[in-house]
Amino acid sequence: MNVLINTGPWLQVPPSGYGGIENVVATLVPPLRERGVRVVLASVGSSTLEVDELVSVYDSGQFAELQKPYNQVMGLAHAHQAMVARELRRRDDVDLVHDHLEVVGPAVLSALDGPPVLHTLHWDLRKHAAFYGAFPESVAANGVSESQLRTAPAALREAALGAVHLATPLAGAAPRVERGEHLVVMGRICRLKGQHVAARICQKLGQPLALAGPVSGLGTPAELEAVVQDPYHPLHGHPDVRYHLEAVGPYLDGDLVRWEGAVAGRRRDELYGSARAALFPVQWDEPGGTAVVEALALGVPAVGLRRGCLPELIDHGRTGWLADTEEELAEYVLRVDEIDPEECRAEATRRFSPGVMADRYLELYEATIRRRRAGA
């Protein structure tokens, strides 16, 4: 099978730091190729993932441009997708397009008389009501959790072939790190992730907490301070910057509660893997939960609120705890040592390894092709 995987023009694959969709694709492609799939990657020229062919219109990622006004950046995704369309028109060897570009991908691909398309939904499906309410019939879709698909409009649910949980290369291969005393929240610093809740709980309980993740792409205190001091900086009034300053900042004491900035690579695995538990005080219905499966792969119990995909990923009482209130979440923080790290590792290997995700996508690729042949 020859598959064109479209990630869009935002970040290289794999990303140098934070990058959700790009990390998912970087995890998926190697086991697909091991299973005989030939992969054409539509990304940016700086991508280093080993694929059979790379096509691009931009040399580097355009994510930083998204801070500019819409009328200055609206053409970025369209220029990339126009390149994908030209590529599909000029060749007849692509059996399927696996698309990951929000809205622009399925909108353009549905207008082509091209190969079957499977569009993966990585985000909150309550957005784009007009588009999802009349989702193109020619495009198949999949979610990243069952709970996510339950929020989809009827037309999008009709197009959905099911859900595929996210995976991590750490599953079955994570280094064993000496356990520390700290708890951790790993992910972008924003109100939806609920870092302020974790900080409030840990201050109250006297538990050390490490917050790791960028603030609107800013990875260090120095970068953040430069934005705060410059009223003309495009990020000066960004909601994530305000959230960090107003809701999280008061809890940061550099000792009990600290912000580690954006972490990646070995430093990230060591900080994450040495935690007593990973906290997920999510303030929305999280659709995917990459950080959850990474924690389990590292043998770190996951403790979170019972929202979104978390009940699908955490086995309550075995690989972590699920709470219904902040008060209950605080109680479970004191019980993290009851969870066996080896149970967490085993669950991650069984359910969230790259090979498991690749096998599931191969099933959906075949289903998408059958759907096209049936004229659905």
Side-chain angles (χ1 to χ4, degrees):
M1 186 181 292
N2 195 21
V3 176
L4 186 148
I5 297 182
N6 179 33
T7 65
W10 309 124
L11 296 169
Q12 67 185 47
V13 183
S16 57
Y18 184 85
I21 291 171
E22 293 77 15
N23 272 322
V24 172
V25 170
T27 301
L28 174 63
V29 166
L32 283 180
R33 297 181 75 232
E34 289 171 4
R35 286 154 173 76
V37 177
R38 186 178 186 277
V39 174
V40 179
L41 179 65
S43 178
V44 295
S46 57
S47 293
T48 58
L49 182 68
E50 188 172 336
V51 293
D52 296 280
E53 193 175 345
L54 174 67
V55 295
S56 64
V57 68
Y58 297 106
D59 292 333
S60 59
Q62 302 298 299
F63 183 78
E65 297 295 303
L66 292 179
Q67 304 303 331
K68 296 179 180 178
Y70 176 72
N71 62 358
Q72 296 181 26
V73 301
M74 59 188 293
L76 293 174
H78 294 81
H80 171 91
Q81 198 63 21
M83 177 273 296
V84 171
R86 290 193 299 271
E87 194 70 20
L88 292 173
R89 287 195 183 101
R90 77 169 186 84
R91 58 196 301 168
D92 60 4
D93 63 336
V94 174
D95 300 304
L96 177 134
V97 177
H98 188 179
D99 181 65
H100 300 263
L101 182 56
E102 189 170 359
V103 174
V104 175
V108 173
L109 292 168
S110 66
L112 298 177
D113 184 19
V117 177
L118 176 67
H119 175 67
T120 295
L121 303 154
H122 293 272
W123 33 80
D124 184 351
L125 302 186
R126 290 168 294 191
K127 296 191 295 181
H128 318 308
F131 182 75
Y132 287 153
F135 193 76
E137 294 182 357
S138 61
V139 176
N142 76 274
V144 291
S145 67
E146 296 292 348
S147 63
Q148 176 201 35
L149 291 178
R150 287 195 290 271
T151 69
L156 188 53
R157 286 200 304 272
E158 285 288 325
L161 301 179
V164 183
H165 288 138
L166 302 178
T168 172
L170 294 169
R176 279 173 165 75
V177 182
E178 184 177 349
R179 190 74 67 219
E181 293 298 320
H182 67 281
L183 306 167
V184 67
V185 179
M186 185 70 67
R188 183 168 61 94
I189 308 293
C190 65
R191 189 169 294 277
L192 295 178
K193 301 292 186 182
Q195 281 91 352
H196 66 291
V197 175
R200 184 161 59 223
I201 288 174
C202 288
Q203 282 247 333
K204 179 181 178 180
L205 298 178
Q207 300 281 327
L209 174 67
L211 304 175
V215 179
S216 189
L218 305 169
T220 67
E223 290 175 344
L224 180 62
E225 183 63 22
V227 168
V228 171
Q229 296 300 323
D230 182 1
Y232 299 104
H233 194 284
L235 295 177
H236 181 78
H238 193 281
D240 291 355
V241 173
R242 292 203 309 270
Y243 168 71
H244 185 275
L245 293 176
E246 299 168 5
V248 178
Y251 295 106
L252 299 177
D253 56 15
D255 180 24
L256 196 65
V257 179
R258 64 188 190 276
W259 176 46
E260 300 285 347
V263 294
R266 179 177 296 180
R267 178 169 172 252
R268 180 184 185 279
D269 291 347
E270 290 177 350
L271 177 68
Y272 213 9
S274 62
R276 287 177 55 230
L279 305 186
F280 300 94
V282 292
Q283 303 297 293
W284 72 312
D285 293 331
E286 183 85 45
T290 303
V292 178
V293 302
E294 290 173 339
L296 298 180
L298 287 161
V300 178
V303 183
L305 292 174
R306 195 188 304 273
R307 296 195 62 172
C309 67
L310 267 64
E312 297 177 39
L313 306 180
I314 300 170
D315 188 349
H316 181 69
R318 191 169 73 88
T319 62
W321 300 106
L322 294 165
D324 293 307
T325 65
E326 181 178 329
E327 293 73 20
E328 191 177 9
L329 187 66
E331 294 173 8
Y332 283 133
V333 165
L334 298 176
R335 297 180 59 186
V336 295
D337 294 331
E338 297 177 27
I339 304 299
D340 182 358
E342 294 307 314
E343 285 288 322
C344 299
R345 288 178 180 272
E347 183 77 346
T349 301
R350 183 177 69 85
R351 297 183 59 203
F352 307 125
S353 66
V356 170
M357 181 168 69
D359 287 339
R360 178 68 175 129
Y361 270 116
L362 284 174
E363 292 175 1
L364 295 194
Y365 291 172
E366 296 288 357
T368 301
I369 292 170
R370 289 197 301 272
R371 183 178 183 268
R372 166 64 68 85
R373 288 173 179 165

